[in-house]
Amino acid sequence: MKKVIRFSRFFVCAVILSLALIVSGIISVATRGINFGLDFKPGMIEEFRIDPTVLELTYNGSATITVDPSETGLDLVVSGVGAENRTVTLRYADNPTVADLARSISEVENIGVNVLDGTVASGDGLFVNSAVSTTLGATPLRIHAADDSVNVNADDVRAALAGIEGADVKTLGSGKDASYQIRLGVAEGDTQQAVQEKTNAALTAAFGADKVAIVKSDFIGAQFSRTLIRDSVVLVLLTLVLIWLYSTIRFHWDFALAAVIAIVHDALIMITFISWSQMEFSTTTLAAILTIIGYSINATVVILDRVRHNMKSIETSNFTDILNISLSETLSRSIITTLTTLFAVVSLFVFTTGTIHDFALALIVGLLSGAYSSIFIAGAFISLVRRNYENKGLTTSKANNIVQFQA
């Protein structure tokens, strides 16, 4: 004898709770908005460091020499017409200080070396400004070294950028590995070069050109951001249409619509959470929403398939009984699959940072919402549509279908 949980008792409460959450999310989006990342709004993200220059390199020969620093050494790539194409690798292990490294570099013909601080350990975080060319020429190429004695914080950077409207500053890392991230919205028609030059001019004026080094810079224009938003909306809608068509072919229109409603519910719950928490909405977040759509439809289809099977094998004129039986029979499967997936996602959330951390957090919310909606939201809709259900199948009850309801 099977024990059946009467999930139908909670359908009304579940629908009211979901509507309250979604309405609060709509209000939050209207009042607070969504924290769109650079993928979805025009702007620039620039990461830079404030560390002293320890070496300056110049070149006056006919070849082309490019400097490529790495974690283990400094590569000098020599190429060009009439030159012997080769790569000179100077390992930090063989050149323990900047002074030692400078002597090794000076052995390459026509390279000029100016040592500003030769006492720094060569392998201790040497890097160049990514905003300038690393090809040597008459203009000195500055090589910076990490220095934990630099007395600069995020407030100092904000003060330096006070003349640039809308600049948001965040500290990344700590100590000698500290860097600063600038997020800056741009107006229609602004170019990356113009925005970057304005920002870098303010930074160099405040901290000195010999100390500011750009680590990386990303830029997206207004037209591209609008196109990306439009394409993302089309992508989600197309996904929902395809899922509805698949569910309609496999089941029935009301089952298919219930599945789509559950999916839309999960997406709205995730957007509500994103607006509440002001998590950055990026292409990674969109990927999390699409992932949850796929996960949620899988969980819902399993339940719908069991309902369809029980409609043929259980003789009752009350569709709610069939629904409760089906939900009870698939409950353990729903819990187990959700928990096992959560184990992996929670690990990502705990042990990662940045966009993967946000991706995992969005997935956690979506997984919980997906398990809930597959039972209560899809179930409530089907129960409503089939409230006048009549079983025209079996005429004889079977002993293995006798049920006992459990509150």
Side-chain angles (χ1 to χ4, degrees):
M1 183 175 292
K2 302 174 183 179
K3 292 185 178 180
V4 178
I5 302 173
R6 300 196 64 174
F7 291 97
S8 57
R9 290 183 175 181
F10 308 103
F11 284 166
V12 175
C13 294
V15 170
I16 292 174
L17 174 62
S18 294
L19 286 175
L21 290 174
I22 293 172
V23 169
S24 69
I26 294 173
I27 295 173
S28 178
V29 170
T31 56
R32 303 177 63 192
I34 295 178
N35 181 24
F36 284 108
L38 188 61
D39 299 331
F40 291 99
K41 67 179 181 181
M44 181 184 74
I45 295 181
E46 184 173 87
E47 182 182 347
F48 71 96
R49 299 179 62 167
I50 303 174
D51 287 305
T53 300
V54 294
L55 274 179
E56 290 181 338
L57 306 181
T58 57
Y59 180 70
N60 61 0
S62 58
T64 299
I65 299 181
T66 303
V67 179
D68 184 17
S70 66
E71 294 182 357
T72 59
L74 196 70
D75 291 337
L76 302 177
V77 182
V78 183
S79 61
V81 179
E84 180 185 354
N85 294 335
R86 60 194 175 107
T87 299
V88 180
T89 300
L90 306 175
R91 299 176 65 246
Y92 296 144
D94 301 327
N95 302 275
T97 66
V98 168
D100 297 325
L101 186 64
R103 281 191 290 271
S104 298
I105 294 174
S106 63
E107 294 177 0
V108 179
E109 187 177 2
N110 296 323
I111 291 184
V113 182
N114 180 26
V115 181
L116 301 181
D117 189 347
T119 63
V120 176
S122 62
D124 198 12
L126 297 186
F127 58 94
V128 297
N129 188 342
S130 66
V132 301
S133 173
T134 57
T135 300
L136 297 181
T139 302
L141 173 66
R142 297 187 177 97
I143 298 180
H144 301 259
D147 186 0
D148 55 4
S149 66
V150 175
N151 188 22
V152 176
N153 56 41
D155 291 334
D156 297 325
V157 178
R158 293 187 186 97
L161 299 174
I164 301 178
E165 184 179 357
D168 180 57
V169 179
K170 181 170 65 175
T171 303
L172 304 177
S174 60
K176 66 180 182 180
D177 296 323
S179 62
Y180 303 91
Q181 183 187 79
I182 303 172
R183 299 179 60 88
L184 182 65
V186 298
E188 185 82 33
D190 286 347
T191 63
Q192 179 176 5
Q193 182 178 358
V195 175
Q196 195 169 26
E197 286 178 353
K198 183 179 180 180
T199 304
N200 295 347
L203 293 174
T204 54
F207 305 111
D210 61 331
K211 291 186 177 180
V212 176
I214 308 302
V215 177
K216 63 180 180 180
S217 181
D218 296 315
F219 183 88
I220 183 169
Q223 182 176 358
F224 182 76
S225 66
R226 288 195 298 267
T227 301
L228 188 58
I229 292 175
R230 182 197 63 205
D231 291 347
S232 298
V233 172
V234 171
L235 174 63
V236 173
L237 293 177
L238 181 60
T239 302
L240 294 176
V241 170
L242 292 176
I243 288 174
W244 180 80
L245 287 174
Y246 163 77
S247 302
T248 301
I249 294 171
R250 180 169 179 179
F251 300 107
H252 191 263
W253 73 266
D254 54 346
F255 280 27
L257 189 54
V260 171
I261 289 174
I263 292 172
V264 173
H265 167 275
D266 297 336
L268 292 176
I269 291 296
M270 291 182 71
I271 292 174
T272 296
F273 176 78
I274 290 168
S275 179
W276 280 354
S277 63
Q278 287 297 291
M279 177 196 301
E280 182 181 285
F281 189 92
S282 62
T283 50
T284 303
T285 314
L286 178 62
I289 293 177
L290 292 175
T291 301
I292 291 303
I293 287 176
Y295 178 89
S296 181
I297 188 59
N298 179 64
T300 305
V301 162
V302 170
I303 294 174
L304 296 179
D305 191 60
R306 183 57 60 92
V307 172
R308 181 179 61 175
H309 171 76
N310 286 339
M311 287 172 63
K312 300 176 182 178
S313 60
I314 297 177
E315 183 185 11
T316 177
S317 60
N318 188 347
F319 182 79
T320 302
D321 290 347
I322 297 176
L323 188 57
N324 285 325
I325 294 169
S326 303
L327 292 173
S328 298
E329 290 175 345
T330 56
L331 180 61
S332 60
R333 182 264 178 201
S334 299
I335 293 176
I336 291 172
T337 53
T338 301
L339 285 179
T340 52
T341 308
L342 276 174
F343 289 152
V345 176
V346 169
S347 297
L348 285 176
F349 176 73
V350 173
F351 296 109
T352 62
T353 58
T355 55
I356 298 300
H357 180 84
D358 292 342
F359 176 77
L361 180 57
L363 280 183
I364 290 173
V365 175
L367 286 170
L368 296 175
S369 175
Y372 160 83
S373 67
S374 296
I375 296 173
F376 294 104
I377 302 305
F381 179 80
I382 298 173
S383 178
L384 175 65
V385 173
R386 300 220 172 193
R387 61 188 180 278
N388 298 321
Y389 167 80
E390 292 183 7
N391 190 347
K392 299 179 181 179
L394 299 179
T395 59
T396 303
S397 298
K398 296 183 179 181
N400 62 349
N401 288 325
I402 298 175
V403 299
Q404 176 183 349
F405 289 100
Q406 174 179 296

